[in-house]
Amino acid sequence: MSKSSRKPADIPRGPVRSFADLVGFQDIITAFHELAARDRVPQVLLFEGRPAIGKRKLLARLAATIYCESRQGCGHCQGCHSVIHGYQADLLWVEADGPIKVAEAEAIQDHLSYQSSGAQRVVVIVDIEDMNDQAANRLLKTLEEPPPRTLVLISSSRARQLLATITSRLVRWHVQPPPIELSQHWLMHALQEAGLTLSTTDVRDALERYSLAPGRALLALKMANSVEQEAQHRLASLLLKPLEGRDLHELQDLLKQQGWKANELAQHFELLLNRYYKWSLGLIAERPSHWPASVGAPDPRLLRQRRRILQQIYRGGGQGHNFLNAQLAAEALGSDTAF
Ligand SMILES: [Zn+2]
């Protein structure tokens, strides 16, 4: 799965953990099943909708219906497991590091044109974004005339930015955020699993604040909670001043231990700064407790540099959704000691 150059050892697990906590999308799933039963699923589908509403899991669930013994994406049979745990050979899961490159477009083409066991060949492209002309041309060829018995499922949170030549070849399916009651239920459960108890009001507020995207609300609630505070404290003490030799190891350990994805690391950093600025402007009374005593006002040049590097890490990490390589991230952040 994922991009072709990634070693299996770097892959922490399959694309999803299970389908048990897939929230909403029942209308899409039912419609897809009906189309599949009549052998009428369009060969190239684009699922567009806001970020962090669960499109990735939806794609995994739809892809699983192809290999599921009951054709329902039951989540329990061997076919479903092969998708969940990322060992289905007829499925290519592309979660590209940034825009799709020519080599990836070629891998997609190769995967679809290779006929092996006679099972349907599927490609899933998570969060497609604009790509260079060469890659787009290569991908266009495939999307224009996909080989028979193949299926391409694509998701995007920014479909409007895609080239019209690409989108005109896709059947677009608009994905609405799950109903708030379902998201609320999912969030309560996810928070409980993380050892947090929050009131339904807090959970609902967070959902509304984050445009009903349960993924973003969960992250924000976790970040605001004490479980994460210790880690934030350590992150602040490392990132708000130039890193010295020993700090690099500590940063690496912290990143490994927390298992953050690139978007989470970037958000943590922004949250730290946000609180500091609020305090310095007098919007909150208490000096942020996570602010290390050894750091006064942060050096603006250092902050700019950190932001720039975090942005690169974010872009380099499939728009932040991939797990961080702790060593590379720490080294990149440490490369600015002579800023
Ligand atoms: Zn199944």
Side-chain angles (χ1 to χ4, degrees):
M1 54 164 243
S2 217
K3 64 177 269 213
S4 43
S5 61
R6 192 167 297 151
K7 298 187 296 292
D10 294 339
I11 301 167
R13 53 174 183 246
V16 293
R17 260 179 283 186
S18 77
F19 300 138
D21 62 346
L22 179 68
V23 200
F25 312 130
Q26 203 47 57
D27 48 342
I28 294 179
I29 294 168
T30 309
F32 188 87
H33 284 166
E34 281 168 9
L35 288 168
R38 290 186 287 129
D39 212 9
R40 285 286 161 84
V41 179
Q43 273 190 285
V44 188
L45 278 164
L46 172 70
F47 294 86
E48 49 184 312
R50 291 178 202 163
I53 56 174
K55 296 191 295 299
R56 186 171 184 280
K57 195 165 267 193
L58 172 67
L59 294 195
R61 169 74 197 269
L62 297 179
T65 62
I66 306 296
Y67 305 106
C68 176
E69 285 160 18
S70 66
R71 309 289 280 174
Q72 299 289 311
C74 69
H76 306 293
C77 69
Q78 209 183 346
C80 286
H81 277 189
S82 71
V83 173
I84 291 170
H85 301 297
Y87 63 82
Q88 174 52 255
D90 289 306
L91 167 68
L92 178 67
W93 186 275
V94 181
E95 202 152 342
D97 291 353
I100 288 179
K101 297 174 197 75
V102 177
E104 281 161 336
E106 277 170 2
I108 292 168
Q109 195 177 27
D110 288 350
H111 179 80
L112 291 175
S113 45
Y114 180 76
Q115 291 298 330
S116 56
S117 56
Q120 197 168 351
R121 305 282 280 182
V122 177
V123 169
V124 170
I125 307 176
V126 179
D127 265 339
I128 197 171
E129 53 179 293
D130 231 343
M131 60 205 95
N132 71 32
D133 289 350
Q134 221 186 338
N137 286 336
R138 182 60 77 139
L139 193 62
L140 271 177
K141 262 197 187 160
T142 313
L143 301 185
E144 211 160 28
E145 259 186 283
R149 284 186 57 69
T150 60
L151 175 64
V152 183
L153 302 172
I154 304 173
S155 72
S156 178
S157 308
R158 288 166 299 170
R160 252 177 288 170
Q161 288 172 18
L162 290 173
L163 285 172
T165 42
I166 296 270
T167 50
S168 63
R169 280 158 177 82
L170 313 170
V171 175
R172 298 169 78 154
W173 207 323
H174 193 78
V175 184
Q176 296 287 356
I180 192 162
E181 290 73 22
L182 286 180
S183 295
Q184 193 176 322
H185 184 77
W186 177 85
L187 263 174
M188 296 298 284
H189 183 75
L191 288 165
Q192 242 168 28
E193 271 197 340
L196 310 176
T197 320
L198 275 98
S199 74
T200 45
T201 321
D202 285 346
V203 169
R204 211 177 169 93
D205 283 354
L207 272 170
E208 278 162 5
R209 208 167 337 120
Y210 292 96
S211 335
L212 302 182
R216 287 173 68 195
L218 177 63
L219 186 58
L221 287 169
K222 274 184 167 175
M223 276 163 68
N225 192 277
S226 61
V227 175
E228 299 267 336
Q229 259 174 28
E230 159 69 20
Q232 280 188 26
H233 201 115
R234 282 174 64 199
L235 186 69
S237 71
L238 289 164
L239 288 192
L240 297 173
K241 58 185 177 57
L243 289 165
E244 283 154 23
R246 180 164 56 88
D247 300 333
L248 267 183
H249 291 286
E250 210 191 317
L251 179 59
Q252 202 176 314
D253 286 346
L254 175 68
L255 297 179
K256 251 190 222 151
Q257 192 185 17
Q258 292 303 115
W260 282 321
K261 295 178 180 182
N263 61 336
E264 292 167 331
L265 176 63
Q267 281 188 46
H268 276 294
F269 188 66
E270 288 307 317
L271 196 78
L272 292 173
L273 293 181
N274 201 319
R275 288 209 198 121
Y276 172 78
Y277 289 130
K278 274 191 184 156
W279 170 72
S280 61
L281 292 168
L283 297 171
I284 47 175
E286 225 176 297
R287 188 179 204 275
S289 62
H290 59 264
W291 208 262
S294 55
V295 180
D299 183 316
R301 280 176 311 160
L302 176 74
L303 292 187
R304 268 201 303 278
Q305 183 88 330
R306 293 271 194 261
R307 277 207 169 105
R308 194 175 55 75
I309 294 170
L310 283 170
Q311 188 69 27
Q312 283 166 2
I313 295 174
Y314 177 76
R315 288 198 58 80
Q319 288 305 310
H321 297 296
N322 294 346
F323 290 91
L324 274 179
N325 179 323
Q327 193 187 338
L328 290 183
E331 275 168 11
L333 285 160
S335 65
D336 62 359
T337 39
F339 69 97

